[in-house]
């Protein structure tokens, strides 16, 4: 299958038009006419992922986060991005990214996270536009109701178990007492999402990349925050995309997943 044809299938799931204006999804390195027979799926185009794609003889490295975000003035082995690009191009490995288009598109990251927590009565946590098929609002993250009420500790342990996390951080445990029913979840970075969660009636926000000040400020507004890590909530991308490609694009493609590897270690 040519890369352009594979990209058509990927963009049917998550059209590039859904992406935020600052983002850079799509084919970031390689040839559109390259024949794709073997794919490595990873959350990030790390050195380890690039090396594994080369070792496995892959034709395409499919990632959630873009290898290239902004403009670059040179491609050489003298910096991180250039080093990876040189290795990919030398090995004739294409690099394709599905980032905020995947975060926002219906049935993708936001809905996947909501499914994992069993949220009902969902609305976008941060509305960014309209579903091009149904005309319903879509956006980053979701806010909805738990299938049954639970206290904050039980919810935190549920998040930890369902996402397979080694650890989590919780802000506002002292303020969030009693049972919780309405929850917002924003995979990836949730900085700046507390206001959206509060406006939608959530008592807890599940997300990543929460710093000290964001955490204590949210708690002061009676919003507890479960910081499950940026990687922790988004690594589900790899499983989901393998299933999607096999079922909806080409079941004959050889697909490998980069091993789960948390970038943060708690000692």
């Amino acid at each position: 299958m040519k890369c352009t044809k594979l990209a058509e299938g990927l963009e049917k799931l998550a059209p590039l038009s859904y992406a935020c204006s600052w983002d850079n999804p799509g084919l970031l390195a390689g040839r559109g006419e390259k024949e794709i027979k073997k794919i490595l799926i990873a959350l990030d185009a790390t050195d380890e992922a690039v090396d594994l794609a080369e070792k496995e003889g892959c034709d395409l490295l499919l990632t959630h986060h873009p290898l290239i975000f902004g403009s670059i003035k040179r491609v050489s082995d003298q910096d991180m991005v250039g080093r990876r690009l040189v290795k990919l191009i030398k090995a004739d490995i294409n690099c394709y990214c599905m980032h905020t288009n995947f975060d926002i598109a219906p049935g993708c990251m936001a809905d996947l996270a909501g499914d994992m927590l069993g949220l009902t009565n969902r609305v976008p946590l941060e509305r960014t536009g309209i579903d091009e098929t149904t005309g319903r609002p879509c956006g980053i993250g979701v806010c909805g109701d738990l299938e049954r009420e639970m206290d904050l500790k039980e919810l935190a342990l549920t998040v930890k178990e369902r996402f397979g996390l080694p650890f989590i951080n919780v802000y506002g445990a002292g303020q969030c007492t009693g049972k919780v029913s309405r929850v917002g979840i924003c995979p990836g970075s949730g900085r700046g999402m507390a206001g959206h969660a509060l406006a939608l009636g959530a008592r807890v926000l599940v997300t990543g990349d929460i710093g000290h000040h964001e955490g204590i400020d949210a708690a002061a507004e009676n919003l507890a925050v479960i910081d499950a890590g940026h990687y922790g909530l988004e690594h589900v991308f790899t499983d989901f995309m393998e299933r999607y490609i096999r079922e909806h694009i080409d079941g004959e493609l050889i697909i490998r997943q980069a091993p789960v590897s948390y970038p943060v270690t708690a000692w």
Side-chain angles (χ1 to χ4, degrees):
M1 173 180 286
K2 291 190 183 300
C3 186
T4 50
K5 185 68 175 178
L6 176 61
E8 287 177 11
L10 298 176
E11 290 163 23
K12 184 176 181 181
L13 170 69
L16 298 180
S17 58
Y18 280 106
C20 295
S21 59
W22 50 263
D23 200 11
N24 190 37
L27 182 62
L28 303 187
R31 300 176 289 112
E33 292 303 299
K34 178 176 175 57
E35 194 70 25
I36 305 298
K37 298 179 181 178
K38 191 172 185 179
I39 300 172
L40 177 68
I41 307 176
L43 193 69
D44 299 279
T46 60
D47 288 318
E48 292 78 10
V50 172
D51 288 345
L52 183 59
E54 182 179 26
K55 179 181 177 181
E56 291 280 338
C58 294
D59 305 297
L60 176 73
L61 174 59
L62 173 63
T63 68
H64 178 49
H65 296 131
L67 174 57
I68 305 171
F69 255 118
S71 60
I72 55 177
K73 294 184 177 181
R74 62 183 61 85
V75 177
S76 75
D77 62 358
Q78 301 305 299
D79 62 71
M80 177 190 69
V81 173
R83 179 177 70 241
R84 296 170 187 174
L85 285 170
V86 167
K87 181 167 285 190
L88 286 167
I89 293 169
K90 184 178 179 181
D92 195 20
I93 301 170
N94 283 11
C95 184
Y96 189 96
C97 158
M98 304 171 71
H99 192 213
T100 53
N101 55 319
F102 184 82
D103 287 334
I104 294 168
C108 295
M109 190 70 84
D111 284 326
L112 180 59
D115 290 344
M116 293 186 72
L117 289 187
L119 298 183
T120 61
N121 304 316
R122 299 178 199 173
V123 294
L125 191 58
E126 180 183 7
R127 178 173 170 172
T128 60
I130 298 295
D131 181 340
E132 297 172 359
T133 302
T134 67
R136 296 174 181 172
C138 61
I140 295 176
V142 293
C143 186
D145 299 318
L146 295 168
E147 294 172 319
R148 64 175 180 82
E149 293 184 335
M150 57 182 75
D151 62 29
L152 179 60
K153 183 174 182 179
E154 183 183 3
L155 175 58
L157 293 177
T158 297
V159 171
K160 184 178 179 182
E161 185 266 328
R162 292 188 182 175
F163 284 88
L165 307 175
F167 62 89
I168 52 174
N169 294 314
V170 179
Y171 294 91
Q175 292 87 342
C176 186
T177 58
K179 298 293 186 179
V180 171
S181 59
R182 193 153 181 82
V183 174
I185 183 166
C186 177
S189 178
R191 289 179 178 174
M193 300 299 282
H196 296 290
L198 286 165
L200 293 170
R203 291 194 63 205
V204 180
L205 172 64
V206 182
T207 190
D209 288 356
I210 295 298
H212 170 77
H213 295 290
E214 292 93 355
I216 64 173
D217 289 350
E221 296 288 342
N222 293 316
L223 177 72
V225 178
I226 298 173
D227 187 342
H230 195 126
Y231 182 94
L233 295 176
E234 290 193 328
H235 71 83
V236 295
F237 169 82
T238 58
D239 270 339
F240 179 89
M241 286 310 305
E242 178 172 354
R243 291 195 306 272
Y244 179 82
I245 293 170
R246 291 191 188 282
E247 294 172 8
H248 299 283
I249 299 180
D250 188 338
E252 300 301 315
L253 287 168
I254 300 170
I255 302 174
R256 298 286 183 266
Q257 293 185 37
V260 174
S261 178
Y262 289 89
V264 177
T265 301
W267 290 14

